[in-house]
Amino acid sequence: MGDNELRRIFANNLKYYLNLNGYSQADMARYMKVSTATTAKWCTGVTMPRVDKIQSLCNWFGIEKSDLLEDWQSKNTDTQSDKLHWYQDPETAEIAQRIFDDPNLRTLFDSAKDAAPEDLATVQAMLEALLRKEGRKD
Amino acid sequence: MISVFYQDMPCKVHGLIRANEDGSYTIILNSRDSRERNLQAYQHELDHLLKGDFEKVDTNEIEGRAHHG
């Protein structure tokens, strides 16, 4: 992938997340402590921010770097049902559902969409340990 | 009542909210995350309450709607 293509993909993803969160380019400029001219260049694919600034943007949006750097928008067939599913790994989705359905756990997560099954299994074990400590679950 | 705690969790998990048996809720935020990310996770979990997500069924869809609006 060439630099031009990468900048175009980044710009499209950046605009998507600005719009999704209701932020303006001026909001982004204030948050990132850069000029609006700089953010305009990011949004038009003229330039890209440095890696540390990309991470700051990810923190601001609550997303992963891949959400800004990968061409998921054109790959995604984007039916409404596709948009309404979060977990990329079916096994992770299954564990999340099992934790939610367990009346002792009944938990929802803020996790990355590429969270591995082991990530949620680790948290499940943590929750169960906390419950045992509280004497609520054997 | 909502109790909030910090706990080391895998880096892909930023927070969680648990519906407790007594009607209260527990939010756990990942202590490895930045304060800013913690605040986002806290808002995410509060939104689950405000949207009545514990009355819904499909967690994959719940999170999809929470993240994509």
Side-chain angles (χ1 to χ4, degrees), chain A residues 51-112:
Chain A
V51 173
D52 60 321
K53 290 204 176 297
I54 291 175
Q55 185 60 58
S56 294
L57 286 168
C58 290
N59 294 341
W60 193 37
F61 293 134
I63 59 175
E64 305 296 317
K65 279 184 188 170
S66 59
D67 294 321
L68 287 178
L69 298 174
E70 292 181 6
D71 191 13
W72 55 268
Q73 292 199 64
S74 65
K75 286 177 187 169
N76 195 343
T77 53
D78 254 2
T79 62
Q80 189 63 12
S81 63
D82 286 336
K83 280 187 175 179
L84 294 181
H85 286 83
W86 181 246
Y87 299 107
Q88 290 177 342
D89 187 323
E91 194 180 341
T92 304
E94 189 181 323
I95 293 173
Q97 189 68 49
R98 200 164 62 224
I99 293 170
F100 185 69
D101 290 340
D102 184 335
N104 287 314
L105 298 178
R106 201 66 178 156
T107 295
L108 289 166
F109 296 96
D110 175 8
S111 71

